[in-house]
Amino acid sequence: MPAIYALYVINKSGGLIFNKEFVTIASNSLNDTLRLASIWHSLHAIAVQLAPAPGCTGIELLRADTFDLHCFQTLTGTKFLVVAEPDTPDVEALLRETVYDLYADYVLKNPFYEVEMPIRCELFDQNLFNTIAAVHRRWGLVH
Amino acid sequence: METINAEIFTLTYGSMVRQLIADLEDISAVNKQLDEMGYNIGIRLIDEFLAKSKTGKCGDFRETVDRVAKVGFRMFLNTTAAVTNWNAEGTECSLILEDNPLTDFVELPEGCQNLVYCNVLCGVIRGALEQVSINTECSFVRDVLRGSDVSELRLKLLSLNKEEYPFKDDD
């Protein structure tokens, strides 16, 4: 069954500035997440350089047998990562449109949010949670 | 998108500029502060612009300026700017503001003739473009508030950072 497990946001310099799990993931500690963020940031950058064809913008999707990891990097260098059930549809669009919109609205427009710093914005959390819950409901998944 | 009365915006901006003049007591310091404030707005605004306009990567600086003038100004100021006066290298151009809601009710008094009332716009453009690795310089060269027939922003490309990451092999 398709499901969105978690969302991570990585800033330009590779620091994890947001992490939220929507479904409990087995033994996923904050340290692991921080490590994942910085490793992903580096791999993403290396991939751009290693790509045989010009115009590569980095890794967009990592497929494993138990999860898909989608990555969307904005033109400003911020990365949004989503861990989802394998073959979950429309994650690209969700990141590109909905999540990025929410970030622009509730994080960047919050005058007390400092850019590049960890995101602690209640409104972002709420709206994100509602969005994901709505997506899950559409798939018949109840929180 | 939710909308509010544009006058709220215009009046808020006006009282902010007044307050800056009162606080800083020096017109050139006010100009500098407005540019700085604009910069701080710009570095946040760019993501809003990219997210909502669903815009992709631009091919060159000309295309970038065009999007700023046509899409950006429309989105945030509900007006557009005309792009003219390109230099031969395509690194410098002028944005002519056809209609500027910020100046709707403004008359500059004696003693404020050097005030660049809308300098915040320069900062916004500079900050926003810097976030997408385009370093620019932006300033008003003509201003309706100071007797010109149109408002003209001069935008100069300083450098394009091709890479987003500080890759240096010798590091």
Side-chain angles (χ1 to χ4, degrees), chain B:
Chain B
M1 203 184 285
E2 269 181 72
T3 55
I4 60 159
N5 188 330
E7 284 185 17
I8 295 269
F9 170 62
T10 308
L11 297 176
T12 309
Y13 185 75
S15 69
M16 189 192 77
V17 174
R18 272 306 299 266
Q19 189 63 47
L20 282 176
I21 295 172
D23 289 350
L24 298 170
E25 295 170 350
D26 172 35
I27 299 299
S28 61
V30 174
N31 290 341
K32 196 162 161 263
Q33 187 62 31
L34 284 172
D35 181 79
E36 196 56 38
M37 290 167 78
Y39 174 83
N40 289 327
I41 296 173
I43 58 175
R44 290 159 177 255
L45 206 70
I46 180 70
D47 276 302
E48 159 98 1
F49 173 75
L50 295 171
K52 306 268 158 87
S53 69
K54 319 268 182 250
T55 198
K57 228 179 184 127
C58 293
D60 58 6
F61 187 55
R62 272 171 194 270
E63 199 184 336
T64 310
V65 177
D66 239 41
R67 293 233 184 121
V68 169
K70 296 285 155 353
V71 189
F73 276 77
R74 164 72 59 214
M75 210 166 139
F76 296 113
L77 286 177
N78 198 25
T79 175
T80 56
V83 186
T84 54
N85 292 341
W86 279 97
N87 66 349
E89 296 84 40
T91 55
E92 238 186 285
C93 66
S94 291
L95 295 169
I96 310 283
L97 299 182
E98 277 131 22
D99 162 48
N100 182 353
L102 287 177
T103 58
D104 278 352
F105 313 113
V106 182
E107 292 171 42
L108 289 188
E110 290 288 320
C112 284
Q113 288 304 314
N114 291 326
L115 177 69
V116 188
Y117 187 79
C118 296
N119 215 23
V120 76
L121 297 180
C122 298
V124 171
I125 294 175
R126 181 168 61 89
L129 291 180
E130 190 191 277
Q131 288 297 300
V132 285
S133 313
I134 303 170
N135 296 321
T136 53
E137 224 171 61
C138 189
S139 59
F140 269 93
V141 287
R142 285 193 289 169
D143 190 343
V144 275
L145 295 180
R146 284 178 294 162
S148 312
D149 44 349
V150 287
S151 286
E152 175 180 348
L153 276 160
R154 194 75 186 151
L155 185 61
K156 184 177 169 195
L157 173 70
L158 299 178
S159 65
L160 281 171
N161 300 348
K162 286 262 188 253
E163 297 290 341
E164 283 113 29
Y165 308 99
F167 281 133
K168 285 198 191 76
D169 291 334
D170 50 356
D171 273 359

Side-chain angles (χ1 to χ4, degrees), chain A residues 76-93:
Chain A
T76 55
T78 308
K79 291 185 194 64
F80 294 90
L81 261 58
V82 152
V83 181
E85 181 72 21
D87 296 318
T88 298
D90 308 329
V91 180
E92 264 307 301

Side-chain angles (χ1 to χ4, degrees), chain A residues 60-99:
Chain A
E60 286 170 359
L61 171 62
L62 173 95
R63 309 197 67 164
D65 50 356
T66 53
F67 68 93
D68 279 1
L69 201 163
H70 293 260
C71 172
F72 164 55
Q73 176 171 257
T74 68
L75 289 176
T76 55
T78 308
K79 291 185 194 64
F80 294 90
L81 261 58
V82 152
V83 181
E85 181 72 21
D87 296 318
T88 298
D90 308 329
V91 180
E92 264 307 301
L94 178 80
L95 280 177
R96 216 169 266 276
E97 285 153 30
T98 322
V99 177

